[in-house]
Amino acid sequence: MNLVIPDEVHTGQSATPSGWSYRMFYFGAETLRRAAAEMAGRAAAVPFFTAGVIEDQALAGLIRAAHRRLEDRTVSLLERQSIFLHLLIRLIARHAAAPPPLHPTGREHRGVGRAIDYITARFGEEMTITELAAVAGLSHQADTLANLLHAEVRYPPGSLVLEAGCGTGSQTVILARNNPGSRFVALDISPASLAQAEQAVQSAGLTNVRFEQGDIFSLAHADASYDHVFVCFVLEHLADPLAALRRLQRVLRPGGGVCVIEGDHGSFYCHSETATARRTVACLVEVQAALGGNALIGRQLYPLLGRAGFATPRVVPRVVYVDGSRPDLIEGFSRQTFIAMVRGVRDQAIARGLIDPAAWERGIGDLEAAADPGGTFCYTFFQATATRS
């Protein structure tokens, strides 16, 4: 098996005159991180692989079998997802540079029983791992934050809404379910993310979403072609969010509304808070800035919308507060959302000299301690709305 690390130059040239053929999986970093978290039963960093070629007959056979099963459309969606997850866990456990420890069995979450009952009652029906996680109470960011961020996002029946930067569809499903009388165009630059988003929408039984590959900075849509535009967790990743907002304004009809939701990592605080915990969070902000993003963009939405030419911008802070009385938020937000995001930049932060490994581990440990029932977490998202004049 040949591994190609993201951003590593490779040619794909044949080694013999007769040529060669191959099949390849392309794993997103977030997909690998989530598989590692499933292994450990807690948040985990993105696994890293140092070997360029792996000699592992058992794993090679598993990969071949996975390709065949995943291409067989008679195989259920749940089985395809389970095969894929099993493959990732085997790959990480056997060949990652520092694999997380496997989560011990025998003390499963009580929601596993609910999932078993759900499967038994619907045996033979299509279902997904995401659906089962929701039944078991194990789904994380999208479900945890849905009511907080989307409770007021409602569109009049018949509206045509552009979701710019839909990613893997977490927000798409919520929007389409909450607005059954509206039509959505879910746009993203990544074909892989669009495929996952389309699968998520289909699994939810929703039919009011159309998917389209495209770039916010070069939209092919006609002027004033949408009634509303929705943007969530997108601007923080863009080098020029102002230009993006100006382009989105062009496709919005006069009087149409835009809704923008972003976080602000500088708004985070916890108890008990330590200097090392604060430093690890600062590393997340600094790494994102080095990559051309802005993890502090939430506080900037009001002036950005005004400079982009939108009328009557209004920003509402949405505070997530977590303590021992909210175990769902301890797991769903503190650990599986916020601390998981921080963990994800470990290697980059250390490689850039922002922090040393020992300090990083102390900081993560301090954040985990604040996520225990005796600690508290607080973070602010910002929801901004405006109209095109």
Side-chain angles (χ1 to χ4, degrees):
M1 292 161 291
N2 178 50
L3 296 185
V4 180
I5 305 302
D7 296 328
E8 184 176 279
V9 176
H10 59 288
T11 64
Q13 294 176 351
S14 61
T16 64
S18 60
W20 65 310
S21 62
Y22 66 92
R23 296 187 183 195
M24 183 74 73
F25 284 118
Y26 291 93
F27 303 133
E30 177 61 16
T31 299
L32 286 166
R33 186 198 64 73
R34 292 175 70 175
E38 290 286 346
M39 289 176 57
R42 55 178 174 78
V46 177
F48 187 78
F49 301 87
T50 56
V53 177
I54 293 175
E55 297 286 347
D56 185 330
Q57 290 297 322
L59 184 59
L62 182 63
I63 291 175
R64 283 195 297 270
H67 272 292
R68 296 190 185 103
R69 295 294 285 170
L70 291 171
E71 291 170 357
D72 184 351
R73 305 311 297 178
T74 65
V75 175
S76 72
L77 179 58
L78 179 61
E79 184 179 347
R80 292 200 301 271
Q81 291 182 329
S82 299
I83 290 168
F84 188 66
L85 180 59
H86 177 60
L87 170 61
L88 287 177
I89 289 176
R90 287 286 293 273
L91 172 65
I92 294 167
R94 295 167 74 98
H95 299 288
L102 289 172
H103 183 54
T105 59
R107 292 181 296 173
E108 282 74 24
H109 189 283
R110 60 182 178 275
V112 172
R114 294 197 297 270
I116 292 172
D117 292 341
Y118 186 85
I119 294 171
T120 303
R122 293 164 177 79
F123 188 78
E125 297 180 12
E126 283 281 20
M127 60 189 74
T128 68
I129 288 177
T130 302
E131 184 179 345
L132 292 178
V135 171
L138 298 172
S139 52
H140 300 305
Q141 182 174 358
D143 292 335
T144 300
L145 303 176
N147 291 332
L148 179 76
L149 301 180
H150 297 281
E152 298 175 1
V153 182
R154 297 293 188 274
Y155 300 111
S159 297
L160 179 61
V161 183
L162 173 65
E163 183 190 4
C166 68
T168 58
S170 296
Q171 316 305 322
T172 313
V173 170
I174 298 168
L175 287 173
R177 181 184 292 134
N178 289 349
N179 296 274
S182 300
R183 294 172 296 130
F184 294 87
V185 175
L187 177 90
D188 202 89
I189 197 170
S190 166
S193 294
L194 282 172
Q196 293 183 57
E198 188 166 6
Q199 185 179 79
V201 167
Q202 290 175 352
S203 298
L206 301 167
T207 59
N208 56 337
V209 183
R210 176 169 62 85
F211 294 90
E212 183 177 317
Q213 184 183 358
D215 188 341
I216 292 174
F217 292 101
S218 55
L219 291 172
H221 307 123
D223 291 0
S225 53
Y226 289 95
D227 299 305
H228 299 277
V229 170
F230 180 84
V231 188
C232 186
F233 306 147
V234 173
L235 299 184
E236 66 171 304
H237 302 293
L238 304 181
D240 194 347
L242 178 60
L245 287 172
R246 285 172 172 163
R247 282 163 175 77
L248 291 171
Q249 188 199 47
R250 179 182 62 78
V251 301
L252 188 62
R253 66 167 175 78
V258 63
C259 177
V260 182
I261 299 174
E262 296 288 346
D264 191 312
H265 297 345
S267 71
F268 165 77
Y269 56 88
C270 65
H271 173 77
S272 297
E273 187 170 85
T274 66
T276 49
R278 175 60 67 181
R279 183 61 202 143
T280 56
V281 176
C283 287
L284 175 61
V285 175
E286 292 169 29
V287 167
Q288 191 157 340
L291 296 174
N294 182 358
L296 307 177
I297 200 166
R299 68 188 72 178
Q300 301 172 27
L301 291 182
Y302 182 88
L304 275 172
L305 286 167
R307 291 172 61 197
F310 285 96
T312 62
R314 179 174 178 266
V315 178
V316 178
R318 303 290 188 183
V319 178
V320 182
Y321 171 74
V322 187
D323 61 26
S325 68
R326 295 297 307 273
D328 56 329
L329 286 176
I330 289 176
E331 187 64 22
F333 181 76
S334 299
R335 289 203 167 96
Q336 298 294 343
T337 301
F338 190 80
I339 296 177
M341 282 193 300
V342 178
R343 284 180 180 273
V345 302
R346 176 191 183 276
D347 294 341
Q348 293 164 299
I350 293 172
R352 292 176 182 274
L354 301 177
I355 194 171
D356 65 73
W360 174 271
E361 295 304 329
R362 288 198 304 273
I364 291 294
D366 292 343
L367 288 175
E368 289 284 359
D372 287 338
T376 64
F377 255 66
C378 196
Y379 184 91
T380 303
F381 293 92
F382 294 87
Q383 183 188 76
T385 56
T387 57
R388 180 180 178 181
S389 56

